[in-house]
Amino acid sequence: MPFLSLNLCNFRNLKNDRVNLSEKEIYFVGENGQGKSNILEALYYSSYGSSFRTHVDSQIIKYGEQNFSVSSFYSGKNGETESIKVVYDKNKKIIEKNNKRIHDRKELINTIPCVLFCHSDMKFATGEPENRRFFLDQSLTMYDALYIDDLRNYKKILKSRNLILKEEKYDMLDIYDMQLAEKGLEIQLKRKKAIFQFNEIFKKLYYDISGIENVTIAYYPSWKEIKDEVGTRFPTPQEVVELLKSKREQDKIMGTTLSGPHRDKIVFVKDGKFFITNASTGQCRLTALLLRVSQAVYYTRITGNNPVLLMDDVMLELDPDKRARLTSMLPEYDQLFCTFLPGEPYERYKKSTTKILQIKNGEWYE
């Protein structure tokens, strides 16, 4: 489902014009601040109806303008040309797919699946636990619209439970506890399965690129699994309710819910020990980068479709040897977009199908 073209209007510093994107690989080359990352952001925005750089859409509007729009044509599953258009005007966003308005961004799932590689990915390795939860949830929501509903429902129930804890209106806790348990266990089950499948990919990739064995991802659910005569299992909803009751006094004191999927931990381990705490900066960067590669491979294994890869200056973070290995081991993709600085050896990586566009002051030219 590759892009064919991108039409821009008042999107950051980019020229109001059409970009031809019909090639398999496209490299955007230019100095910092010229608009390379803005083009990747526009592609991502067209795919998902949101930015990877800001949650405030008004920040995207070109200086001095009142609105912006981004629209794309892409090749659909049957090879037919399809379209997505997103318009932001007067604090309102309108999204159209094939000229029909959609009212929920989850309807864009599997339309143009993009996997983004960027500098901020480092937080998936070294940042707070919520960053790794976000990454895992993002991987699942790339193809599973029901998981989007699971997350939304859980967050809604959690917000209501936290509100009554703060307001000290405890008579509804029994109802919210059961709802929280049911929705939360659905999330934990899908997260555990995804981590298992991720490790089949990630562990081998890390060894092939770095030569370091047995680096894996470990999942520690907040509602811990139970060992019994049958084996290891997740608790039942009623068992979670009992757990929540046992922690109520602490929740009341803190005015918030202290257990549940929003407190799950995801860490990197090697031979049973925490890996990131003693890893070098280069190893941490490689961990974050290979998470994204694993995300692309995982998506393809689950759906049978290849994603579009958006790579924003990520080659700069690797030494020449690892850069060459990564380039040769990129996952299968429908399309690849990369940004480079003028001094980088991007000519080494291009193929016969690669198009190179120079970017300067928000304009592009071959």
Side-chain angles (χ1 to χ4, degrees):
M1 293 161 275
F3 288 97
L4 300 174
S5 65
L6 184 70
N7 293 279
L8 301 160
C9 181
N10 299 334
F11 195 97
R12 295 202 185 268
N13 78 323
L14 298 174
K15 177 175 64 172
N16 294 345
D17 203 351
R18 174 180 173 273
V19 193
N20 183 353
L21 303 174
S22 56
E23 284 75 12
K24 177 98 171 168
E25 296 93 14
I26 298 181
Y27 293 172
F28 300 110
V29 181
E31 299 288 352
N32 289 327
Q34 300 304 302
K36 306 187 304 293
S37 297
N38 293 346
I39 293 182
L40 296 192
E41 182 183 19
L43 291 168
Y44 191 94
Y45 202 93
S46 182
S47 297
Y48 296 118
S50 63
S51 168
F52 61 83
R53 299 162 86 183
T54 178
H55 296 295
V56 183
D57 289 311
S58 60
Q59 294 178 354
I60 297 172
I61 302 173
K62 183 179 293 184
Y63 181 76
E65 301 295 339
Q66 302 297 318
N67 52 48
F68 75 85
S69 69
V70 56
S71 59
S72 63
F73 287 96
Y74 63 97
S75 179
K77 292 182 179 180
N78 297 320
E80 299 178 355
T81 299
E82 301 186 33
S83 66
I84 295 176
K85 183 176 182 179
V86 187
V87 177
Y88 181 80
D89 188 21
K90 298 177 181 178
N91 295 319
K92 186 176 182 180
K93 185 187 300 183
I94 296 175
I95 304 176
E96 294 181 352
K97 183 176 179 180
N98 296 326
N99 298 316
K100 294 181 179 179
R101 186 170 178 177
I102 65 174
H103 299 280
D104 192 325
R105 288 193 296 113
K106 74 177 184 179
E107 295 178 52
L108 295 177
I109 295 299
N110 276 324
T111 300
I112 315 176
C114 289
V115 173
L116 171 76
F117 298 72
C118 64
H119 294 297
S120 63
D121 289 350
M122 186 72 162
K123 64 189 178 186
F124 298 141
T126 61
E128 297 300 315
E130 58 262 31
N131 294 312
R132 287 178 288 282
R133 290 194 296 266
F134 170 84
F135 173 83
L136 182 58
D137 289 341
Q138 183 189 66
S139 301
L140 284 159
T141 56
M142 282 181 65
Y143 67 89
D144 187 351
L146 291 178
Y147 190 71
I148 297 176
D149 290 334
D150 291 338
L151 287 175
R152 288 174 176 174
N153 290 331
Y154 179 81
K155 289 176 181 178
K156 183 178 178 180
I157 297 165
L158 179 65
K159 183 178 179 180
S160 297
R161 188 179 192 272
N162 286 341
L163 182 61
I164 64 174
L165 286 170
K166 290 176 182 178
E167 294 180 348
E168 299 182 2
K169 299 177 180 178
Y170 306 133
D171 55 320
M172 292 287 290
L173 274 176
D174 286 342
I175 295 174
Y176 284 126
D177 284 359
M178 180 53 75
Q179 293 177 349
L180 198 74
E182 290 173 347
K183 294 301 178 184
L185 286 170
E186 291 175 9
I187 291 171
Q188 286 192 344
L189 181 62
K190 289 186 177 181
R191 283 179 176 175
K192 180 181 179 181
K193 183 178 179 181
I195 288 292
F196 176 81
Q197 294 170 313
F198 250 86
N199 272 325
E200 293 180 334
I201 304 163
F202 180 82
K203 180 180 177 180
K204 183 178 185 302
L205 277 174
Y206 206 97
Y207 174 72
D208 289 343
I209 296 291
S210 69
I212 301 175
E213 293 183 306
N214 300 324
V215 177
T216 59
I217 310 167
Y219 174 51
Y220 298 107
S222 175
W223 297 331
K224 292 179 173 56
E225 294 176 284
I226 297 172
K227 291 183 179 180
D228 55 22
E229 64 278 2
V230 178
T232 302
R233 62 173 177 83
F234 276 119
T236 64
Q238 190 57 52
E239 287 171 330
V240 171
V241 167
E242 293 303 314
L243 175 65
L244 289 169
K245 285 182 179 180
S246 72
K247 295 178 179 291
R248 273 190 188 178
E249 289 308 311
Q250 192 175 3
D251 286 354
K252 289 176 182 180
I253 293 171
M254 300 301 295
T256 191
T257 304
L258 297 174
S259 69
H262 62 292
R263 300 279 180 164
D264 284 355
K265 292 183 180 180
I266 300 163
V267 299
F268 299 95
V269 298
K270 175 177 166 32
D271 300 323
K273 299 179 181 180
F274 292 128
F275 175 66
I276 294 299
T277 50
N278 296 312
S280 68
T281 300
Q283 289 169 338
C284 292
R285 286 175 177 164
L286 184 62
T287 298
L289 188 56
L290 293 183
L291 268 182
R292 286 299 194 191
V293 175
S294 300
Q295 187 179 57
V297 175
Y298 172 76
Y299 176 82
T300 297
R301 287 188 179 181
I302 294 294
T303 68
N305 299 318
N306 294 329
V308 172
L309 305 185
L310 308 177
M311 305 187 73
D312 193 10
D313 284 346
V314 292
M315 296 294 188
L316 286 172
E317 300 178 346
L318 300 176
D319 61 51
D321 182 52
K322 288 187 176 65
R323 188 181 299 186
R325 289 188 201 175
L326 177 66
T327 303
S328 65
M329 295 174 62
L330 281 178
E332 291 293 324
Y333 53 80
D334 261 359
Q335 205 168 20
L336 170 67
F337 297 94
C338 291
T339 65
F340 292 97
L341 292 170
E344 291 185 78
Y346 55 86
E347 295 281 350
R348 297 181 189 175
Y349 316 129
K350 74 174 186 178
K351 302 179 181 179
S352 59
T353 53
T354 304
K355 179 179 182 177
I356 298 176
L357 291 178
Q358 303 293 327
I359 309 296
K360 187 174 183 180
N361 295 325
E363 298 188 10
W364 49 90
Y365 53 92
E366 295 188 40

